[in-house]
Amino acid sequence: MAEDVRYYGKWMRDEAEKRIGHLYPKMEVTEKMAAERPDLKRYVGRKLTVIAWLWARTVRSPNPAFADVEVPLASTFVLSKKKGKEAYVEPVIKEGGYHLTVKVGTPPESSRKGTKLSRGANFRCLMSGVPMPPDYIKAEGVTGRMGERLMAIVAEGDRGRVYLTPTLEHELIVFQAKPEWEPRQDLPNDPRAIWVPFYGLTTFADLFTDRQLVVLTTFSALVSEAGEQVRLDAVAAGLPDDGVPLREGGFGATAYAEAVVVYLSLLVNQIANHSSTICGWNNVNTQMRSVFARQAIPMVWDYAESNPFCESSGSYANLFERQLKGFETLGYGQAGAALQADVTHQSISSNKLISTDPPYYDNIGYADLSDFFYVWLRRTLRQIFPEIFATLEVPKSEELMASPYRHGSKKRAESFFLGGMTRAMNHLAKQTHRVFPIAIYYAFKQSERIGDPGTISTGWESFLEAVIEAGLSVVGTWPIRTEKKGRVIGINSNALASSIVLVCRTRPANAPMATRREFIDALREELPESLLKLKAGSIAPVDLRQASIGPGMSVFTRYAHVLDVNGKALSVRDALSLIVQTMDESLVEQEGDLDADTRWAIDWFAQEGFTSGEFGVAETLSKAMNTSEDGLVTAGIIESGGGKVRLLRPDELPDDWDPETDTRRTVWEMVHHLIRVHSQSGEPGAAELLAKLRADAESARELAYRLYRICEQKNRAQEALGYNALVQSWPEIARLARERPQVEQATLLSEAGGPQ
């Protein structure tokens, strides 16, 4: 099977290039181009294979003097940030218009910003400098006046990428493409994840250029042609031509051909994911981004149009090879079985082992996003699986998701989610094996009011209410690292890195009741130990609050009811508030015997962060902490002058700091020097410093957790990044530190949570 997928997939690629390869011409380097760019002399007379065409969307200039000029919406003009291989686009304004030229070398500041003024659809007119706010750009898009302009061409060179100024030939050839079919289904009305309709892109066809549509329809047609050829070749090879299809359990030539078609169809979907105007260009690693770099269809202002017939990222060959590598590793094994059913009323079997990853309230609209792939799969697989592809779009009404836009209001959406989750959990609780627990994965970060320390996630509340209503009790929590480093959604953000697995069992029929006071006492007794265990595994600070809900709910759900002073049952929301409150108290208590300078810095950080504050306030606080302003300066924690005091940021700390010679060493310094070195030299550099901290290392890690929590409460996302990154890397940093020859094995065991 793997070999046949490879054979017919290669045939599809070769056949497609014969039919539409002329739409993807090579780029010839001329003497004139080399005269302007000496780095191109080696390529004169050669035709270079194009990797990608980089486009910027355009709108009419809002300045009446340039009303006929379509100006670019470019988030950046930088093409490559790679050291020694920098390249950028330079706009040249001339005679009432402009042209774009590509240059190599360090880009000026103006190129780095492009024409973008700030986050969102805020741009400036290239011709006049006049601001173009979101409403203007939306109006241009909705009225069909948004166009595109070719900014640059990326080609394959002898030693990497070559960035070239576009030619008229390459800009016009895209208009020669005439697709025979377009996916004209409307994009879902999901303003949280699908933003392009605001700018006039209202159908799936609008997400592609005509040239991309031709590519996708060509490959879709070739899938069917390949399927017929597979059938004929299978018959010639001796398989019976019984005509029984795959869905009916066929084992002959027809079923075999359909199986190959399934894998080739999935490849067409990968091409769609890398051949859309939602694909951006990553100028750091000089590769294109796919549409679904995150679970959304965002608006991309400057997009990369890949060449499916080259060998680089986003090409047919590159995507095909990745698919084959996975396919070829499957090997042989015992056949399994899978089926799809609605969990609220399925009856697969009783006494089953259940491990489930339920919907996360309103985080991701999978059904809406799936339409992007469905519209292409339907063209190639509808004959093979007519029952799956009977509808024009993915069915959505049964998806268990609290989507206000789908249900008409937030209240109705919450009611739908809670009702469906309760039915699902009740059904699972009745069918689970009495010996084994139910493992429920839950990993999302959602709240009603960002920045409010007492905020309770509506998603958690609704989900836990369903668990309790089903008669289940939480008996354990397993935080599991499930997200890879470097994923787009996690870069420069505090997105969750772990899945929180709740281990549930049926609550005994004779479970006791408890008062609110008894519940709080049990939390204070048990939660601190659970937090220590979580931190011993170096769970990321961003995940700690979510993970602590499990041990807290383990206490709450062991009781039939927890009663308040009026004899009324405590709600899940109130229980979650008490759990979060107890967690905060425990984290403060676990700071240990910190030095006075560090305790001052914690309080000042909670109040001012790294911004300046009044000297008088700082002096008063220092007296209360049994330290002084002069001492804090000597300790290297603050700068003071002009009646102002400010904590020093990690990047302002001296590079030559040595904790072994510092006569006024503080835990505060340790944490922020670790962050400084970690950002500059990575885990090896941080390990070298950690080895010198020895017994103080545990206090440093505890403080990193504490400072992250302060940032979370104060809504300081940018400041929180360093603390989160440090703790996430702590196991590797501690391992490298332990391996240093001058460090005794025993001195750093506690930092990694015990012997490894």
Side-chain angles (χ1 to χ4, degrees), residues 58-185:
T58 61
V59 294
R60 294 183 311 169
S61 169
N63 189 319
F66 306 103
D68 295 331
V69 180
E70 295 186 352
V71 293
L73 304 175
S75 58
T76 180
F77 284 130
V78 177
L79 304 174
S80 171
K81 289 184 177 180
K82 282 192 173 182
K83 191 172 183 179
K85 299 181 179 180
E86 295 88 350
Y88 62 96
V89 173
E90 182 181 75
V92 179
I93 299 175
K94 189 176 181 181
E95 299 176 355
Y98 69 94
H99 67 270
L100 303 173
T101 184
V102 173
K103 295 196 170 185
V104 294
T106 304
E109 184 63 30
S110 58
S111 292
R112 296 172 190 170
K113 296 180 180 179
T115 59
K116 198 168 180 62
L117 292 175
S118 61
R119 188 177 179 181
N122 288 285
F123 291 85
R124 63 175 176 84
C125 171
L126 178 66
M127 299 299 297
S128 63
V130 172
M132 299 187 294
D135 287 346
Y136 176 80
I137 293 173
K138 289 176 183 177
E140 288 289 287
V142 169
T143 53
R145 291 193 294 267
M146 187 175 286
E148 59 279 319
R149 180 76 175 259
L150 186 58
M151 291 197 302
I153 293 174
V154 187
E156 293 178 353
D158 294 334
R159 294 192 295 269
R161 310 281 197 250
V162 178
Y163 301 91
L164 302 168
T165 299
T167 64
L168 185 61
E169 174 199 0
H170 278 257
E171 187 155 13
L172 293 178
I173 199 166
V174 69
F175 299 107
Q176 297 178 17
K178 303 296 180 185
E180 297 179 358
W181 178 84
E182 299 179 356
R184 277 294 162 193
Q185 294 94 323

Side-chain angles (χ1 to χ4, degrees), residues 282-492:
N282 187 332
N283 56 22
V284 176
N285 65 6
T286 62
Q287 292 181 348
M288 63 177 301
R289 297 189 185 97
S290 64
V291 174
F292 288 100
R294 53 171 50 95
Q295 294 99 336
I297 300 180
M299 187 62 180
V300 175
W301 304 107
D302 27 33
Y303 60 89
E305 185 182 12
S306 65
N307 179 0
F309 303 117
C310 72
E311 302 294 323
S312 298
S313 63
S315 68
Y316 182 98
N318 175 263
L319 298 172
F320 188 39
E321 193 59 36
R322 283 164 51 183
Q323 182 190 47
L324 289 170
K325 283 181 179 178
F327 191 55
E328 290 171 342
T329 59
L330 293 178
Y332 297 96
Q334 184 176 353
L339 60 89
Q340 179 179 332
D342 189 328
V343 70
T344 60
H345 55 258
Q346 54 76 29
S347 56
I348 299 170
S349 68
S350 58
N351 293 325
K352 53 177 170 276
L353 178 63
I354 298 171
S355 179
T356 182
D357 189 9
Y360 300 155
Y361 193 64
D362 64 346
N363 273 32
I364 300 170
Y366 287 109
D368 287 334
L369 296 174
S370 294
D371 276 333
F372 179 91
F373 298 106
Y374 181 89
V375 295
W376 294 107
L377 280 176
R378 191 171 187 268
R379 282 181 60 80
T380 54
L381 295 180
R382 183 171 43 170
Q383 299 302 319
I384 300 176
F385 302 110
E387 69 285 357
I388 295 178
F389 296 97
T391 56
L392 290 175
E393 298 175 354
V394 173
K396 301 177 179 66
S397 61
E398 294 180 344
E399 184 182 22
L400 192 53
M401 180 185 177
S403 301
Y405 82 90
R406 189 179 292 170
H407 298 283
S409 71
K410 181 179 179 181
K411 185 176 181 180
R412 283 200 289 268
E414 290 180 0
S415 177
F416 172 81
F417 180 83
L418 180 57
M421 185 62 74
T422 301
R423 289 192 299 274
M425 288 299 162
N426 268 297
H427 206 55
L428 290 177
K430 293 175 182 176
Q431 296 182 332
T432 186
H433 197 290
R434 66 181 183 277
V435 173
F436 300 105
I438 299 176
I440 305 174
Y441 294 71
Y442 222 63
F444 80 113
K445 192 175 186 182
Q446 179 271 342
S447 59
E448 293 178 327
R449 298 178 301 281
I450 301 299
D452 181 351
T455 294
I456 296 301
S457 163
T458 305
W460 268 112
E461 180 186 359
S462 299
F463 166 67
L464 290 169
E465 281 184 7
V467 170
I468 294 169
E469 178 67 24
L472 296 174
S473 176
V474 178
V475 297
T477 305
W478 300 332
I480 299 178
R481 183 63 52 81
T482 56
E483 305 301 334
K484 70 177 182 178
K485 293 182 179 180
R487 64 201 172 108
V488 171
I489 197 171
I491 294 174
N492 294 327

Side-chain angles (χ1 to χ4, degrees), residues 719-738:
E719 292 176 359
L721 294 175
Y723 306 115
N724 193 53
L726 177 63
V727 175
Q728 280 190 285
S729 296
W730 197 277
E732 181 62 12
I733 294 172
R735 183 188 68 80
L736 294 172
R738 287 195 304 274

